[in-house]
Amino acid sequence: MTDLPLTIQAIKEAYATKTISPRELILQLRSQALAQADFNAWITLLDEAQLEPYFSALANKEIDELPLYGVPFAIKDNIDLAGVPTTAACPDFTNVPELSAPVVEALVSAGAIPLGKTNLDQFATGLVGTRSPYGEGKNVFNQEYISGGSSAGSAIATALGQVAFALGTDTAGSGRVPAILNNLIGHKPTKGLLSTRGVVPACRTLDCVSIFALHAEDAAQVLEVAAQFDEQDAYARVNTYANKKRYFGAVPSSFKFGVPDELDFFGNSETQALFQKSVEQLQQAGGTPVSISFAPFIEAAKLLYEGPWVAERWLATQNVKLESMLPVIQTIIGNGNNGKASDAFAAQYRLAGLKRTCDSIMQGLDCVIAPTTPTVFTRAQIGEQPVKNNSILGTYTNFMNLLDYSATAVPVGFLSSGVGWGVTLFGNAFTDVTLLSFANILLRANATNMGATAYPLEQVSSTGTPCPPADIDVVVCGAHLAGQPLNWQLTERGGSLVACTRTSPNYALYALPDGKRPALVKLNTPGSAIEVEVWRMPAAAFGSFVCGIPAPLGIGKVELEDGSELPGFICDGYGLEGAKDVSNFGSWRNWLSEKAAS
């Protein structure tokens, strides 16, 4: 597994400092995906020959020229990638498209590299991730539990650190349920903001391409690139999100958010407690909770599968024999041709009335917070009651596209099973950036380490219940020491001093040519023990801290005098040209004092 944090900034910084090349990173991640095959994340992984054109396309490009230069991503296998089979998790449906879906093409043009096509609930019908002939998707924290679906593979691949972000689809919650169960951001954009041309339809009037990411800021950046108006998509809408990225993270000092008056957690006290904690965290950030009636939202949700919209799923798959589908999919889609045209109109009339009521309730609110799922299920429980338990998972997700709202699912904690859980923030159409910014508040408040990439492979692959670290200790030796000019970069991220200690006696300390920064270098021969400090910071803040470190410095493992190793500042060899060895002073502070005296 690569040690590189798979955030867009960290990846581009690693390329800029020549720590790793796109080819090296992508091939490492491909090998990692093969090693973690038991999670059933992938249907098709691109081989080296298929990846070669993407590497070649970057050869004459500057890193800063492309916003997603060399960033690896995954594509749900109901979205077209040119020259690669699209299966929708149904072998008999398989076709090889000549062109990529416009949303994929936009990302590739921005420099992103697809690692392959991911597993899903067949024909994107399900919220569980177990309805696939390519294997049941498994939760990355406890394989006995569902990964969530239908975009199961996209969530799993992102959570395991095989890609930096992934595309899913979301008609009834497929981009949100697997996100929170695997400790990810899952953004369901405004309908029509991302083109759905080249996407196998579930319900064409409702479908959205969704985004999985480790952090809200990355999701916002991917959204900005992907949200290109597509004239050939009849359901595309004008992109009012354009040029809004500069507002990401900016939220009013005081705001109002809706809280549903009656919620059913189906007896799960843990999810109920995490929801209440999230409400309190929004309050602490300046939010005023407003109790709202949720009955009309729930009534709208029931229309999706109890109303005529199931006919759209039948229409999209009418050229596929029912016997080619999994039994549960046959049951759901097979009933789609039993309604009458009058039923469709009656449902549209009812939905219009509910939309008016819900919009009125939303008036004056900056967003609404709701559970993403009431509870969670094991794969065995889904197998026992596949329709009933799937329906429970969609209690608070199914209404979103029917009512034309945008939504962001946010992980807020872990259950005793080890499985992640989270809430959804939703608002009116085209409030995408606002929702991602509010999501960032909850991420910072919970300081969770996004995804499962912090864990060794054997821990992630087990059926145990790993506990993600809330904090990370980092060794500093120079300008980040207490009282030094850059110490604020630690304290503003909630950092606190843990220990004043020394490295093992195998190090050299250099003053870089600018005279402002030290370079700590481990030697193959005996050297000096250098005074350092250990600072502890929230894990969620560690990525942004690392991304701000300028070359030739970086973060690696530093050996302390007690033999332990912690993340800390190191220097690439090329950066030592013209540097001065100041090891004999024993610390950066001593060197600065001597320099000032002379």
Side-chain angles (χ1 to χ4, degrees):
M1 297 173 69
T2 178
D3 292 329
L4 177 66
L6 287 189
T7 63
I8 294 170
Q9 250 188 314
I11 292 168
K12 294 184 71 174
E13 176 68 19
Y15 292 156
T17 58
K18 302 190 184 305
T19 303
I20 198 169
S21 70
R23 180 188 301 276
E24 290 168 336
L25 176 61
I26 300 301
L27 294 182
Q28 281 183 25
L29 295 174
R30 185 180 185 279
S31 295
Q32 178 182 327
L34 290 170
Q36 295 172 320
D38 59 326
F39 285 93
N40 297 321
W42 299 90
I43 291 178
T44 301
L45 271 170
L46 301 190
D47 59 31
E48 192 166 356
Q50 290 172 304
L51 289 166
E52 186 60 40
Y54 300 103
F55 299 144
S56 299
L58 300 180
N60 298 317
K61 300 289 185 179
E62 297 295 329
I63 295 173
D64 292 338
E65 185 180 348
L66 299 173
L68 299 177
Y69 182 100
V71 177
F73 76 108
I75 304 167
K76 184 177 180 179
D77 199 18
N78 62 341
I79 305 172
D80 286 346
L81 175 63
V84 178
T86 297
T87 71
C90 180
D92 286 352
F93 174 80
T94 302
N95 66 92
V96 180
E98 295 182 5
L99 300 174
S100 293
V103 67
V104 171
E105 185 56 41
L107 296 169
V108 170
S109 296
I113 298 178
L115 200 61
K117 307 291 290 297
T118 53
N119 202 2
L120 66 150
D121 282 324
Q122 193 173 69
F123 291 114
T125 301
L127 293 173
V128 292
T130 61
R131 300 171 173 178
S132 172
Y134 297 96
E136 294 187 359
K138 300 172 184 176
N139 190 282
V140 301
F141 295 102
N142 187 338
Q143 292 192 43
E144 296 300 314
Y145 280 76
I146 61 170
S147 61
S150 61
S151 307
S154 288
I156 294 168
T158 308
L160 288 175
Q162 299 169 359
V163 292
F165 70 91
L167 296 181
T169 59
D170 191 317
T171 302
S174 295
R176 289 162 278 155
V177 172
I180 60 101
L181 295 185
N182 293 283
N183 200 36
L184 300 169
I185 284 287
H187 184 66
K188 186 212 74 66
T190 298
K191 277 194 306 179
L193 191 56
L194 273 62
S195 172
T196 56
R197 185 161 58 91
V199 177
V200 179
C203 298
R204 191 180 173 204
T205 60
L206 303 176
D207 293 339
C208 292
V209 173
S210 65
I211 298 166
F212 295 95
L214 298 173
H215 299 286
E217 185 171 9
D218 278 6
Q221 189 167 350
V222 172
L223 181 66
E224 182 180 32
V225 171
Q228 306 295 323
F229 179 71
D230 180 9
E231 290 184 349
Q232 298 182 57
D233 178 1
Y235 288 95
R237 296 158 82 176
V238 174
N239 178 10
T240 61
Y241 179 81
N243 301 319
K244 297 292 185 182
K245 183 178 181 293
R246 65 184 181 275
Y247 297 120
F248 171 77
V251 296
S253 57
S254 61
F255 56 92
K256 293 182 178 180
F257 65 98
V259 182
D261 56 359
E262 292 185 8
L263 292 171
D264 187 353
F265 291 89
F266 291 82
N268 193 324
S269 60
E270 289 185 296
T271 57
Q272 186 171 7
L274 284 173
F275 178 78
Q276 185 56 42
K277 183 185 77 168
S278 301
V279 171
E280 293 167 359
Q281 288 170 337
L282 287 180
Q283 285 182 269
Q284 292 164 6
T288 300
V290 178
S291 179
I292 63 172
S293 171
F294 219 51
F297 296 86
I298 297 299
E299 185 177 345
K302 292 179 180 178
L303 288 174
L304 187 62
Y305 283 103
E306 296 177 12
W309 278 272
V310 178
E312 284 200 272
R313 293 184 183 270
W314 175 86
L315 184 63
T317 58
Q318 61 180 314
N319 293 326
V320 182
K321 297 177 180 178
L322 273 180
E323 53 267 32
S324 296
M325 303 178 190
L326 298 175
V328 66
I329 305 299
Q330 291 183 37
T331 300
I332 296 167
I333 292 180
N335 291 327
N337 194 33
N338 296 332
K340 298 180 294 184
S342 56
D343 296 334
F345 284 109
Q348 289 283 359
Y349 302 155
R350 182 58 190 143
L351 178 60
L354 291 169
K355 169 69 171 167
R356 181 65 59 86
T357 300
C358 292
D359 284 354
S360 177
I361 292 171
M362 301 270 286
Q363 192 77 27
L365 299 177
D366 292 279
C367 66
V368 175
I369 185 173
T372 301
T373 63
T375 187
V376 299
F377 296 107
T378 63
R379 291 190 289 124
Q381 288 172 321
I382 291 297
E384 292 165 1
Q385 298 192 70
V387 175
K388 177 184 176 181
N389 288 341
N390 186 93
S391 179
I392 290 172
L393 291 170
T395 302
Y396 303 119
T397 62
N398 287 350
F399 63 81
M400 212 69 72
N401 284 337
L402 285 166
L403 295 175
D404 194 19
Y405 298 144
S406 53
T408 301
V410 195
V412 298
F414 290 82
L415 308 177
S416 59
S417 62
V419 173
W421 189 82
V423 299
T424 291
L425 304 176
F426 69 91
N428 292 316
F430 300 107
T431 60
D432 300 76
V433 69
T434 300
L435 295 174
L436 285 165
S437 298
F438 280 124
N440 206 40
I441 291 176
L442 291 177
L443 290 180
R444 289 182 178 275
N446 288 288
T448 54
N449 184 43
M450 305 308 298
T453 57
Y455 308 113
L457 177 59
E458 61 270 17
Q459 282 184 277
V460 177
S461 300
S462 73
T463 57
T465 58
C467 240
D471 301 305
I472 290 178
D473 290 346
V474 59
V475 178
V476 300
C477 63
H480 290 89
L481 294 165
Q484 295 301 307
L486 297 182
N487 184 250
W488 63 270
Q489 293 183 357
L490 294 165
T491 57
E492 78 160 4
R493 290 173 168 83
S496 58
L497 180 62
V498 174
C500 298
T501 183
R502 297 191 304 174
T503 66
S504 67
N506 302 310
Y507 280 85
L509 184 68
Y510 290 86
L512 295 180
D514 62 13
K516 299 177 181 179
R517 295 179 295 165
L520 193 63
V521 178
K522 192 172 185 180
L523 307 174
N524 293 323
T525 58
S528 302
I530 307 299
E531 291 182 7
V532 295
E533 291 176 353
V534 179
W535 283 74
R536 181 166 294 160
M537 69 169 66
F542 184 66
S544 65
F545 176 70
V546 172
C547 289
I549 298 170
L553 301 180
I555 293 290
K557 289 299 176 82
V558 175
E559 184 181 18
L560 300 180
E561 60 182 351
D562 64 1
S564 63
E565 288 188 335
L566 291 175
F569 280 83
I570 60 173
C571 182
D572 284 330
Y574 76 88
L576 298 178
E577 184 176 349
K580 180 178 181 179
D581 189 341
V582 296
S583 305
N584 59 307
F585 290 95
S587 77
W588 184 246
R589 285 194 182 95
N590 290 346
W591 154 246
L592 290 178
S593 296
E594 175 66 21
K595 181 182 177 184
S598 61

